[in-house]
Amino acid sequence: MANILYSALYIVNSTVLKYLKQILIFILGTVALFLIYENFEIGCWNIVALGTTSAAAAEHPWEDPGPYHVAYPRNYKVIMDDTPSCKTTTPFLILMVPVAPGDVAARDTIRKTWGGEKQVLGKLVKTLFILGLPGGADAQQQQEKLRQESQQHHDLIQSNFQDSYRNLTIKTMVMLEWLVAHCVNASYVIKVDSDVLLHVRNLVKLLLDPSTAKQNYITGVVWWHSPVLRNPFNKFYMPRDVIAEAEYPPYPLGMAYVMSLDLPGKILGVSSQIKPIYIEDAYLGMCLKRLGIPPTDPPEQTLFIVDPSHPLSSCSLSKVIATTTTSASQMISYWERSRQPEAKC
Ligand SMILES: *[C@@H]1O[C@H](CO)[C@@H](O)[C@H](O)[C@H]1NC(C)=O
Ligand SMILES: *[C@@H]1O[C@H](CO)[C@@H](O)[C@H](O)[C@H]1NC(C)=O
């Protein structure tokens, strides 16, 4: 019995001895890795800290906005603006198109269709494009192309934020700031997405109508009860801890909204009190609610079509103000048809 016990102990002992070296190496290795990781973390924090102590950032201590907020959307500058628009003339209506820096094709399509219309029903109309900085490996070449495009067309306004879908709220804020700084004497602005066909004549007609308000006016496809989407897989997901309410305040959809030019200043005025979310149009609604200025429904439901069933008839096209399109060629053919006098309805 003792013998058996002894030999058992011996086996255990020799096994422990045999693996002791490996066990020690494993423990030391783990400790070493842990120490390296800790140092690395501290190193990174140092870099972040150094970054934020630079002069510009010192005024606005860096704070991670998280994925649903947008940091400091009023912190950006216009870095390219060769537009004479509001400096030498006073347009009645400004057509403001947010567009991706690389999307020359969309800009050219708009320039040769509705964006090229300058005098409409005797009113001066101006088309401008607003964009941020190009990204990617060829950002510098893209920027050079933009500079040339600006020299040729004089219709680009560029700001120094990184252009991206998640930064659209910044784009809208920069647009409002630019309007306040340069175009307060214009009467109206429409913010219109680059895939939208605009019927400028119908828009001017609406704006000249005596029943259209000249102040505190914002219209488009108004969503009066837009639910806050809680499905994390949805493009517009918004968690409860960011927005607790079940619905956003009423807002006109981002595809195309028209506003009187007293509003940009008023919206900017309250926007500093409302933490910006990445959903640009819903954020506008939050600012409007704070102002106590509700959006206005358009006089006819046929004027703004967000989700049309294509192809649109000549009759529909003759009545529309803004409708989304699916391609440049569709935009061109719709525009040509919308210009034909007297569509049969
Ligand atoms: C938004 O713009 C800021 C400033 O240019 C940039 O730091 C940030 O990465 C951008 N966000 C996205 C999601 O592109
Ligand atoms: C806007 O209009 C006011 C009053 O008519 C005028 O004094 C001002 O110079 C105009 N501003 C611009 C930028 O045209």
Side-chain angles (χ1 to χ4, degrees), residues 70 76 133 160-167 170:
V70 181
Y76 301 95
L133 295 172
N160 62 344
F161 65 89
Q162 198 64 49
D163 202 294
S164 70
Y165 179 74
R166 286 262 164 175
N167 269 344
I170 300 181

Side-chain angles (χ1 to χ4, degrees), residues 52-69:
T52 52
T53 49
S54 75
E59 295 163 35
H60 308 277
W62 193 83
E63 167 202 322
D64 185 351
Y68 309 106
H69 284 127

Side-chain angles (χ1 to χ4, degrees), residues 172-193:
T172 296
M173 291 293 121
V174 169
M175 171 187 88
L176 297 177
E177 283 169 352
W178 188 90
L179 289 166
V180 168
H182 300 285
C183 284
V184 281
N185 287 352
S187 300
Y188 296 95
V189 60
I190 181 166
K191 181 238 127 174
V192 52
D193 284 348

